[in-house]
Amino acid sequence: MANYYDELLKLCGFEAEEINNERPRIEKAFRKLELGPEDVKRAESRVKQNHDIELMGVRKLLGVWFKELVDLVLARDEGKKVVYYGFPTIMGPGMAVAIASQEIYCACPDVVLCHTMGQIFNKLAPILEAGEENGLPPGHGLCSLQQIRVGALAKGIIPIPDMVFGSSYFCDMGSKADELLHERYGHPTIYIDGSMDSRWGEYPEYLPQRVEFLGAQLSKLFDKVKEILGVEVTQDVWNKANAMSRDVYSGIGQLTTQVAKADPMPISRADVEVSVFLFSGSTGRARTEGPNALAILNQEVKKRIDTGVGVVEEGAPRIMTMYEHFSDPSITHMMEDAGLAISATVFGPPPKSRPTYTTLSEMVAEREMRLGAYHSAYGIAKRCELSVEDSKVDGVIYNYLYNCRPFALTSHLVKRWIEENMGVPVLSLEFDLYDSRSYSAAALRTRVETFAEMLRAKKSVRQSTKG
């Protein structure tokens, strides 16, 4: 017998058998999340408006996030030990912890809630408000992602974790919020310390001591996982985690490469976004169902490219953004409606190089140095430069988080660096990556449309000069 949520689940790629099998879990999760028929009806409209549901791959990816939400909400009830990590995070440890034991649920709940309660249901506001009422008040430049976690715990919609880990030197707000939650709920928090101090111009080089110190911090994390959870992260576990991660990253890489090279753009960047951040939020469904969803979407995107289907007109100015909005796709669509083709983000794949370290923790630490963001402000600027050079874009929208110290610090530095060194126009756009209550599409539209007009004019002059 059909229920009020069946149509939404179909829009999110659920098969009929899956719906019937998952019905008790979904209904239990909905009760905890305070989701009813009106919320579901609104979600149906929102999914149709913001996502290309003609593409089964997009539907399946939305379904991956939806199932992850149910797994998150019910993890404790289903007998799992619960581990949370922060965003942004050092990639890999969370996946390794999840693979080490089937009895562990490991995820970044804030990112999962953004992509579900935000993107699908448009019901983040009550969670944000609960976070503001429980230790992270508005008007203080506090991270909205942390407000989401604090609010979700206060409302009882996600379980209190057995352990939390995250960076304490890149995202300083994350460690402060974790300390608040530790005092309130008592769970242990493992801080991965480090340093972003480097000489200007040093990237991609780094002092060996930085890798050794960060490696020791990661080893401390694995020791604590064994002590607190009774689970050992061995080299074999790490190898399995890397192998499973490669399946997803391979699909994401194929998708982003196809989209970056195509003209016209075959799908909205809002639909690319739901794949790119799978592993930032999920180590479960992203691993088990992500590769298949991505394979389907890649086939569909190739077909669109072959037939010339596009979401913006051919020849539109191509831009790079820092990130797409986690919970409000309308901001991405606003940029595309202004006639901009979003072909890439500033943090693409890291420069390839041979690892020089052999221990597990130091190999992870060395990779993080190459990525740039954890290296230094110069590393962030240089990675942006390399990404612009590789993608051949007409402009950059550096949509930085006003409440994130590392990215707010580099916002105008990156603009000056790219414009002076590469001659590529940059719009430094203050916004919030997770919460669009103050930074909505309507609030940002005028600046984006003006930038788009400028890029079209510059492109027209270049083309006429060549002619």
Side-chain angles (χ1 to χ4, degrees), residues 22 25 55 71-72 115 118 136 140 147 160 165 172 179 186 191 206 215 227 273 285 320 346 359 368 443 447 462:
E22 291 292 314
R25 298 181 73 240
L55 300 173
D71 293 346
L72 164 64
H115 285 85
L136 299 181
H140 289 70
Q147 289 172 329
I160 297 169
F165 67 87
D172 62 319
E179 190 68 18
Y191 301 112
Y206 46 81
E227 175 187 327
E273 192 276 340
R285 298 289 182 159
M320 174 180 290
V346 295
T359 67
E368 294 304 319
R447 294 192 68 196
R462 285 200 306 271

Side-chain angles (χ1 to χ4, degrees), residues 374-416:
Y374 283 95
H375 184 284
S376 60
Y378 178 82
I380 291 173
K382 195 65 180 176
R383 279 301 310 280
C384 292
E385 177 190 330
L386 295 171
S387 296
V388 169
E389 182 179 32
D390 183 61
S391 60
K392 306 293 190 295
V393 292
D394 299 299
V396 176
I397 295 182
Y398 197 80
N399 47 335
Y400 67 95
L401 288 71
Y402 85 100
N403 51 7
C404 177
R405 257 65 73 189
F407 287 125
L409 175 70
T410 56
S411 59
H412 291 71
L413 166 66
V414 167
K415 173 179 171 64
R416 182 175 176 181

Side-chain angles (χ1 to χ4, degrees), residues 110-124:
D110 347 333
V111 172
V112 175
L113 291 167
C114 278
H115 285 85
T116 50
M117 295 301 283
Q119 282 212 35
I120 295 175
F121 290 100
N122 193 25
K123 206 172 179 182
L124 266 186

Side-chain angles (χ1 to χ4, degrees), residues 14 27 68 93 105 182 213 236 250-251 269 328 406-407 432 453:
F14 279 70
E27 291 177 355
E68 188 69 34
Y105 174 83
H182 165 74
F213 181 71
D236 183 55
S250 175
R269 193 74 194 185
D328 189 353
F407 287 125
D432 190 319
E453 283 294 327

Side-chain angles (χ1 to χ4, degrees), residues 15 58 200 302:
E15 305 293 341
V58 170
W200 187 258
K302 184 179 185 305

Side-chain angles (χ1 to χ4, degrees), residues 105-332:
Y105 174 83
C106 184
C108 180
D110 347 333
V111 172
V112 175
L113 291 167
C114 278
H115 285 85
T116 50
M117 295 301 283
Q119 282 212 35
I120 295 175
F121 290 100
N122 193 25
K123 206 172 179 182
L124 266 186
I127 300 173
L128 285 159
E129 290 165 1
E132 292 169 343
E133 293 165 359
N134 285 273
L136 299 181
H140 289 70
L142 302 176
C143 179
S144 49
L145 194 66
Q146 304 305 324
Q147 289 172 329
I148 290 169
R149 183 181 298 193
V150 170
L153 283 166
K155 288 175 69 66
I157 63 176
I158 63 173
I160 297 169
D162 294 281
M163 191 181 87
V164 170
F165 67 87
S167 156
S168 64
Y169 69 101
F170 181 83
C171 177
D172 62 319
M173 185 66 230
S175 56
K176 292 180 176 68
D178 286 336
E179 190 68 18
L180 166 69
L181 293 172
H182 165 74
E183 292 298 324
R184 179 162 293 177
Y185 300 109
H187 57 264
T189 301
I190 314 304
Y191 301 112
I192 301 172
D193 204 357
S195 169
M196 288 182 67
D197 294 333
S198 293
R199 296 185 299 273
W200 187 258
E202 187 175 44
Y203 180 83
E205 303 303 323
Y206 46 81
L207 291 173
Q209 292 92 329
R210 292 192 62 189
V211 170
E212 292 162 8
F213 181 71
L214 183 55
Q217 291 288 300
L218 289 167
S219 294
K220 175 190 72 174
L221 166 64
F222 296 142
D223 290 343
K224 287 294 184 180
V225 167
K226 184 176 181 181
E227 175 187 327
I228 296 168
L229 303 177
V231 171
E232 186 172 4
V233 178
T234 63
Q235 184 68 53
D236 183 55
V237 168
W238 187 259
N239 291 341
K240 289 179 181 177
N242 281 337
M244 292 179 175
S245 299
R246 277 194 295 270
D247 289 341
V248 177
Y249 282 128
S250 175
I252 294 171
Q254 184 182 346
L255 176 63
T256 54
T257 299
Q258 284 196 97
V259 171
K261 293 181 177 179
D263 187 14
M265 299 290 292
I267 60 173
S268 169
R269 193 74 194 185
D271 291 321
V272 176
E273 192 276 340
V274 294
S275 75
V276 169
F277 290 100
L278 274 179
F279 270 167
S280 298
S282 164
T283 63
R285 298 289 182 159
R287 167 169 45 97
T288 57
E289 300 187 29
N292 179 59
L294 284 160
I296 294 171
L297 183 56
N298 274 312
Q299 291 175 355
E300 293 173 321
V301 168
K302 184 179 185 305
K303 184 175 180 179
R304 281 197 172 183
I305 292 171
D306 291 343
T307 55
V309 174
V311 296
V312 294
E313 67 178 8
E314 187 175 358
R318 303 174 75 81
I319 67 161
M320 174 180 290
T321 59
M322 190 173 102
Y323 285 127
E324 272 67 65
H325 204 286
F326 276 31
S327 61
D328 189 353
S330 70
I331 293 176
T332 299

